[in-house]
Amino acid sequence: MSINVAKLVAKNLVKFGKPIGVKPAILIKVTGGVRTPGSISAGVNPTTTSFTCSGLVAEFSAYEIANSLAQVGDRKVILFGATISNGTVVPSPGDRIVIGGETMTIVENGVRSDPVKATHECRCRD
């Protein structure tokens, strides 16, 4: 019998996580689109897909900022993997996250996931 750690973490943090700031969130995946037919210079029309999930927002520490691991104003958003389309979707740089009334964009190289994808730590900017 195997244990799905990602689902176990998500289930318990959603159930008992209110005191530590767990909130509903939306991950908006942005994918490159296609050019408008017959208009070769028109650019592309990116598409977006929204996924409901749960997460929390934290600040980067002074150490992380001083050592260039984050910039002043960056926000750390931790999303619980199993809450994003049953664990089948992973955040990527350029995606947007809506949480607590804020909309932030994940920066380049801004996603770190644990080995079982129970959590995704996203470095975001407004």
Side-chain angles (χ1 to χ4, degrees):
M1 178 174 132
S2 66
I3 296 173
N4 187 326
V5 175
K7 284 188 178 182
L8 186 64
V9 167
K11 176 184 168 191
N12 285 292
L13 279 172
V14 168
K15 185 175 180 181
F16 302 111
K18 297 291 184 227
I20 60 170
V22 174
K23 300 176 181 178
I26 300 171
L27 173 66
I28 303 169
K29 301 273 308 158
V30 180
T31 55
V34 295
R35 294 196 188 281
T36 304
S39 185
I40 216 163
S41 63
V44 295
N45 302 311
T47 59
T48 60
T49 307
S50 297
F51 300 93
T52 58
C53 54
S54 295
L56 56 91
V57 180
E59 301 295 329
F60 283 96
S61 68
Y63 173 84
E64 291 169 308
I65 293 170
N67 287 287
S68 301
L69 301 173
Q71 294 181 9
V72 173
D74 284 358
R75 306 291 299 279
K76 185 185 302 185
V77 178
I78 300 169
L79 298 177
F80 303 113
T83 67
I84 311 169
S85 194
N86 291 319
T88 60
V89 175
V90 175
S92 305
D95 292 347
R96 294 188 304 270
I97 300 171
V98 179
I99 187 168
E102 292 184 78
T103 301
M104 298 170 267
T105 303
I106 303 173
V107 301
E108 187 174 340
N109 298 317
V111 178
R112 293 188 328 183
S113 301
D114 63 74
V116 295
K117 298 195 182 344
T119 61
H120 304 285
E121 180 182 301
C122 305
R123 185 165 49 101
C124 300
R125 294 193 184 121
D126 291 335

